[in-house]
Amino acid sequence: MSETIKARVSRVRFRNEQTGFTVLSARIGVKTIPVKCTSIADITEGMLVTATGVFSKDPKYGDEFVAETIIAEPPTTTQGIIRYFTSGFIKGVGATTARKLAARFGSMLWDVLNNNPDMLFQVEGVRKKQIRKLIASWNLQKENNEAMVFLQKFGVGPSTAMRIIKEYGKDTITTVKENPYILADDVDGIGFKRADSIALNMGYAPDGEHRLKAGILFDIKDKSSAKGDMFQWEKDLLKGTSKLLSVPSEKIKAQKDALVEDGTVIDNDGAVYLPSRFSHECSVAKDIIRLSKAACKEICVPDDLGKDKGINYDDVQLDAIRVAMKSKVMVLTGGPGTGKTTTTNGIIDAWSRAGLKILLAAPTGRAAKRMKEATGRDAKTIHRTLGWGGVTDTGESVLDHNRDVPFSEDALIVDEASMIDTELMSYLLAAVPNKMRLVLVGDVDQLPSVGPGNVLRDIIDSGVVPVVRLTRIFRQAMDSKIITNAHKVNEGKMPEIANNRQSDFFVLSENDPIMVESLVSDLVARRLPAGYKVSPSDIQVLTPMRRSNNGVSKLNADLQARLNPQGKEIIFGDTIYRAGDRVMQTRNDYDKNVFNGDTGYIVSVDTESMTLLVDFGLEEPVEYGRGDLTNLQLSYATTIHKSQGSEYPIVVIPLTTQFAIMLQRNLIYTAITRAKKVCIIVGQKKALAMAVRNKTIQKRNTLLKERLISEDKKL
């Protein structure tokens, strides 16, 4: 049962500036105990607070008070006023100015600030510029408090309100009143369902225009992020949105038609797209056909190609090289050990000898690094190749290279092409001029791109450009169980399990998910480093899901505790960040020049400024403030999807039936192929068998194949 208490703050023990979560030491009667609260207001030592909440007992710290609401009364003493204004929460006031304000107005200062701020200009020795800054900061704080009260009336908790206020500032109340559904798009951590709850609490009609339109857009975006769809078929969209909102589908149809009318969505013969997705898909189709039909001078393959390196290309490899010499666009695909890298180097060698200037690119930093090592030539991410400079307020991408300023080189090879989503491919192709040759290299049997679309498979299946598939596993690769078992899995066969010391592929059987978690941690922290004389940094855990005992979140916490248990740290949400931690960027950040999937190490932590530096292998470490940490996660363990384009010396894969929904053949195939030297599957053989049997590849809603065929017929 809730209680209301008054307490005097003796110390501020912790404050999360991102969420407003605060831990105070406060005197209640004769006893000082921790008080936990979330507040937008700054609370300083000496303040009297009124809090409503419950007493509880923390297993580690004992008695505490958990506040649902907390109101701080402004200090009345000179020292209290000085402490409040010098806390940094109100801008523009130092100790000297605070002392002058306290001396002039005393406890009346708060009334002056609220009701007659012009009186502050009467204070001697304080510059007018300072007073103006103080008034502006105070008014902003007052507006924020009003917004907090407004939001809490509609069931918005303090931490969520903090994020909303941070996004909209002084316009918070007006913006949310006008359309609370925009919160789902604008504010991190607020999805449609949360915004819908707020809107309904505000009195929005369950079948009102704002709600129905927001529900339609949510269904399109949700299916895109969850399934990789480019669009939704109208019948599925109406059915899904009707179920989501509990509103008849005919009302949904009316609002869908309204969204089409105002250009918010595009209905292409029953395929309902967001305009940007429609544009990107059409653009990819047109540009592929444009390039494939451009004039192309055939280059002869030198008779002695590869001889200086002792390479004898087989017939299929030579065919691939010949196709690249006479085609403007081609696809080179194949599994591990089939010679994609050797063939790619042959193409590069032949082009170079013909005097062509060549660009090399890959979707991720790790993939670009691998490409550079394999070719001996500079290779960059696609983003950096394009000179990506971010996105404007209108949603337009800023690029050094685009249709108006194309690449100046003669040829482009893109590795790990299966990872490229439709949007990124559209930007890349737009920058490729007609004079340029293009080779897309990738393993089409791996997982498709994380983003919407299935570009490489659609290009291959369309038949509009030459495709060479390498299938022969070379003799040296046959010695690797990693490679042979990857191909077995891809063919729907159980891998060969020897588990002897000479093998590079192991399956450690364990049926208990808790024991799987423990075994994975011990392998990474102790057994594998000792057995193979490697650093734990050479070992990567790949798991199908984020949640569960053997998901990313739990394993990262376990491994951090084993591998990096102490040191300077910053706590953000449920995650601890320490110097030495392995981390991954989870969202493109153009200002920092780091992109989704980039990995690095925390090199330093500053607990005073609450910042950390991450080494991504760039010229300088990248600084992260508290507000940036939402885009950074520990990466001792990562999802298999996030590992695409990367290779690691040793890979450990936890596998249990807890992951049943994710157990698919191409998922396990992708995970196995990430290992260079050793691959270890830990868990239930039943789960492995389920994955190998399940060849179902969830079909994505994409019409790129059909558009490619249609564009090809036009020219």
Side-chain angles (χ1 to χ4, degrees):
M1 187 174 176
S2 292
E3 299 182 51
T4 299
I5 63 165
K6 285 187 178 292
R8 181 72 64 181
V9 178
S10 55
R11 184 163 67 94
V12 180
R13 296 166 58 171
F14 173 80
R15 180 172 173 84
N16 185 325
E17 298 298 338
Q18 180 77 8
T19 64
F21 177 73
T22 305
V23 182
L24 311 168
S25 287
R27 192 167 185 83
I28 304 172
V30 297
K31 192 175 182 181
T32 299
I33 67 169
V35 175
K36 295 178 178 177
C37 62
T38 299
S39 174
I40 196 165
D42 189 41
I43 299 174
T44 60
E45 295 175 12
M47 275 188 174
L48 184 67
V49 297
T50 302
T52 301
V54 294
F55 286 97
S56 69
K57 189 175 285 291
D58 186 276
K60 185 175 181 180
Y61 300 106
D63 292 337
E64 64 179 18
F65 188 83
V66 181
E68 298 164 1
T69 62
I70 189 163
I71 299 171
E73 298 180 15
T76 56
T77 66
T78 298
Q79 272 311 111
I81 291 171
I82 293 170
R83 268 199 305 268
Y84 181 83
F85 279 107
T86 57
S87 66
F89 203 67
I90 302 297
K91 308 299 183 188
V93 181
T96 301
T97 301
R99 193 170 286 106
K100 291 176 180 177
L101 292 171
R104 174 68 174 82
F105 298 109
S107 63
M108 295 296 294
L109 175 60
W110 315 111
D111 184 65
V112 170
L113 280 163
N114 287 322
N115 301 311
N116 199 2
D118 287 347
M119 289 180 64
L120 297 173
F121 291 105
Q122 300 173 9
V123 180
E124 293 183 7
V126 182
R127 291 177 297 169
K128 291 183 178 180
K129 183 179 178 181
Q130 273 185 290
I131 295 297
R132 283 193 289 268
K133 193 173 181 180
L134 163 60
I135 293 171
S137 185
W138 179 262
N139 286 337
L140 177 61
Q141 179 57 26
K142 193 163 65 172
E143 289 168 352
N144 288 349
N145 284 330
E146 290 171 358
M148 174 72 80
V149 171
F150 167 79
L151 291 168
Q152 287 184 331
K153 285 193 298 185
F154 303 110
V156 182
S159 61
T160 303
M162 287 276 295
R163 294 197 300 275
I164 295 171
I165 293 166
K166 185 177 180 181
E167 176 68 29
Y168 301 122
K170 64 183 177 60
D171 298 322
T172 296
I173 294 175
T174 304
T175 303
V176 176
K177 276 184 176 179
E178 282 180 0
N179 184 8
Y181 289 100
I182 68 168
L183 296 171
D185 289 327
D186 293 348
V187 183
D188 285 340
I190 299 182
F192 170 79
K193 292 182 180 179
R194 187 76 183 94
D196 190 40
S197 173
I198 294 167
L200 293 174
N201 279 334
M202 291 177 66
Y204 275 73
D207 60 352
E209 176 186 340
H210 280 306
R211 186 169 188 253
L212 302 191
K213 286 181 176 179
I216 292 167
L217 294 173
F218 168 74
D219 195 69
I220 296 173
K221 294 172 184 176
D222 184 57
K223 298 296 192 307
S224 173
S225 60
K227 297 170 55 183
D229 288 340
M230 289 296 295
F231 64 86
Q232 286 299 296
W233 293 110
E234 184 187 66
K235 61 180 178 60
D236 297 328
L237 177 62
L238 299 183
K239 183 179 178 181
T241 308
S242 176
K243 183 179 179 181
L244 172 71
L245 303 180
S246 298
V247 173
S249 58
E250 56 267 22
K251 290 190 175 183
I252 307 294
K253 173 73 163 61
Q255 293 305 324
K256 185 241 94 178
D257 291 343
L259 287 170
V260 171
E261 184 70 25
D262 66 22
T264 304
V265 300
I266 290 173
D267 189 335
N268 183 229
D269 294 328
V272 185
Y273 289 81
L274 296 178
S276 60
R277 302 254 168 85
F278 181 76
S279 174
H280 291 315
E281 191 173 84
C282 293
S283 179
V284 169
K286 288 177 181 178
D287 281 328
I288 287 286
I289 301 305
R290 167 181 63 83
L291 292 169
S292 71
K293 301 293 186 182
C296 182
K297 182 181 178 181
E298 185 171 352
I299 300 170
C300 293
V301 179
D303 293 335
D304 62 346
L305 188 70
K307 298 294 189 281
D308 58 330
K309 299 181 179 71
I311 299 171
N312 291 309
Y313 300 103
D314 71 6
D315 291 342
V316 181
Q317 290 176 311
L318 278 173
D319 182 52
I321 295 168
R322 292 190 189 102
V323 171
M325 298 304 106
K326 65 182 181 182
S327 304
K328 271 300 176 72
V329 184
M330 73 163 287
V331 174
L332 177 65
T333 187
T338 58
K340 287 198 304 295
T341 298
T342 300
T343 306
T344 300
N345 279 329
I347 294 170
I348 292 171
D349 192 9
W351 277 349
S352 297
R353 289 166 70 169
L356 272 61
K357 296 179 181 177
I358 305 165
L359 270 180
L360 304 181
T364 67
R366 278 186 171 270
K369 184 180 179 182
R370 284 176 53 211
M371 196 179 191
K372 184 177 181 177
E373 291 168 351
T375 63
R377 291 170 166 261
D378 189 35
K380 297 177 181 177
T381 65
I382 295 173
H383 287 94
R384 293 187 176 102
T385 301
L386 288 167
W388 205 299
V391 180
T392 67
D393 293 339
T394 59
E396 296 180 17
S397 296
V398 180
L399 305 167
D400 291 341
H401 295 286
N402 50 37
R403 207 172 297 279
D404 296 325
V405 188
F407 299 127
S408 60
E409 290 80 2
D410 304 303
L412 168 65
I413 298 179
V414 184
D415 201 9
E416 297 289 353
S418 64
M419 297 178 63
I420 307 174
D421 62 30
T422 308
E423 180 180 7
L424 184 57
M425 184 63 86
S426 74
Y427 290 126
L428 179 65
L429 293 175
V432 178
N434 284 349
K435 72 164 191 169
M436 201 173 207
R437 299 167 188 259
L438 172 66
V439 174
L440 300 174
V441 183
D443 185 350
V444 75
D445 294 321
Q446 287 189 31
L447 291 167
S449 59
V450 175
N454 202 353
V455 178
L456 185 64
R457 182 169 290 280
D458 282 347
I459 292 173
I460 292 172
D461 290 348
S462 71
V464 299
V465 300
V467 177
V468 179
R469 181 185 280 269
L470 304 176
T471 57
R472 175 191 168 194
I473 304 175
F474 283 85
R475 184 167 54 82
Q476 58 267 37
M478 292 290 290
D479 295 334
S480 168
K481 291 298 180 188
I482 292 173
I483 291 175
T484 57
N485 280 333
H487 284 277
K488 282 181 177 291
V489 168
N490 200 36
E491 295 164 4
K493 302 174 183 175
M494 284 291 286
E496 182 182 324
I497 305 168
N499 281 2
N500 56 53
R501 181 66 185 178
Q502 289 71 43
S503 182
D504 59 1
F505 185 93
F506 303 86
V507 176
L508 304 185
S509 184
E510 176 55 63
N511 288 320
D512 184 351
I514 302 296
M515 291 303 299
V516 171
E517 177 192 343
S518 176
L519 182 52
V520 168
S521 292
D522 197 48
L523 281 167
V524 176
R526 184 181 66 85
R527 291 171 57 176
L528 292 174
Y532 288 94
K533 306 299 187 243
V534 296
S535 166
S537 62
D538 291 325
I539 306 166
Q540 183 64 53
V541 178
L542 302 180
T543 181
M545 298 178 72
R546 290 198 54 79
R547 302 297 175 190
S548 86
N549 291 102
N550 294 288
V552 169
S553 301
K554 186 66 169 68
L555 287 171
N556 269 323
D558 291 350
L559 291 167
Q560 183 189 50
R562 293 284 297 267
L563 299 172
N564 196 26
Q566 56 189 2
K568 283 189 175 182
E569 63 186 40
I570 293 174
I571 300 174
F572 183 81
D574 297 330
T575 304
I576 300 171
Y577 295 95
R578 298 191 183 106
D581 279 335
R582 191 190 310 176
V583 291
M584 175 184 287
Q585 178 75 11
T586 60
R587 186 178 295 180
N588 293 338
D589 189 323
Y590 307 103
D591 294 331
K592 297 184 187 300
N593 200 30
V594 291
F595 301 94
N596 187 4
D598 285 354
T599 59
Y601 287 87
I602 299 175
V603 293
S604 66
V605 171
D606 189 328
T607 54
E608 288 191 13
S609 65
M610 303 300 281
T611 59
L612 52 83
L613 294 177
V614 180
D615 182 2
F616 287 107
L618 305 175
E619 292 182 3
E620 298 287 338
V622 179
E623 183 175 281
Y624 283 75
R626 295 196 62 84
D628 305 317
L629 294 181
T630 187
N631 301 326
L632 199 70
Q633 67 179 36
L634 298 177
S635 64
Y636 298 98
T638 188
T639 62
I640 297 169
H641 282 84
K642 286 286 190 182
S643 74
Q644 290 175 261
S646 299
E647 279 188 346
Y648 313 93
I650 300 177
V651 165
V652 179
I653 308 167
L655 211 57
T656 71
T657 54
Q658 288 180 310
F659 303 133
I661 193 171
M662 297 292 294
L663 295 179
Q664 296 176 346
R665 188 181 298 173
N666 63 344
L667 185 85
I668 304 305
Y669 171 76
T670 300
I672 293 171
T673 57
R674 301 307 90 201
K676 288 197 296 185
K677 295 180 178 179
V678 181
C679 178
I680 304 170
I681 295 175
V682 183
Q684 301 162 339
K685 290 183 179 179
K686 178 183 177 182
L688 177 59
M690 286 171 62
V692 172
R693 286 196 304 268
N694 185 9
K695 66 177 181 178
T696 304
I697 298 176
Q698 191 174 50
K699 182 173 170 57
R700 295 184 166 189
N701 285 341
T702 162
L703 291 174
L704 178 59
K705 171 186 170 181
E706 290 76 8
R707 296 191 194 285
L708 285 163
I709 295 170
S710 175
E711 289 292 330
D712 188 51
K713 289 177 179 178
K714 289 179 185 177
L715 299 177

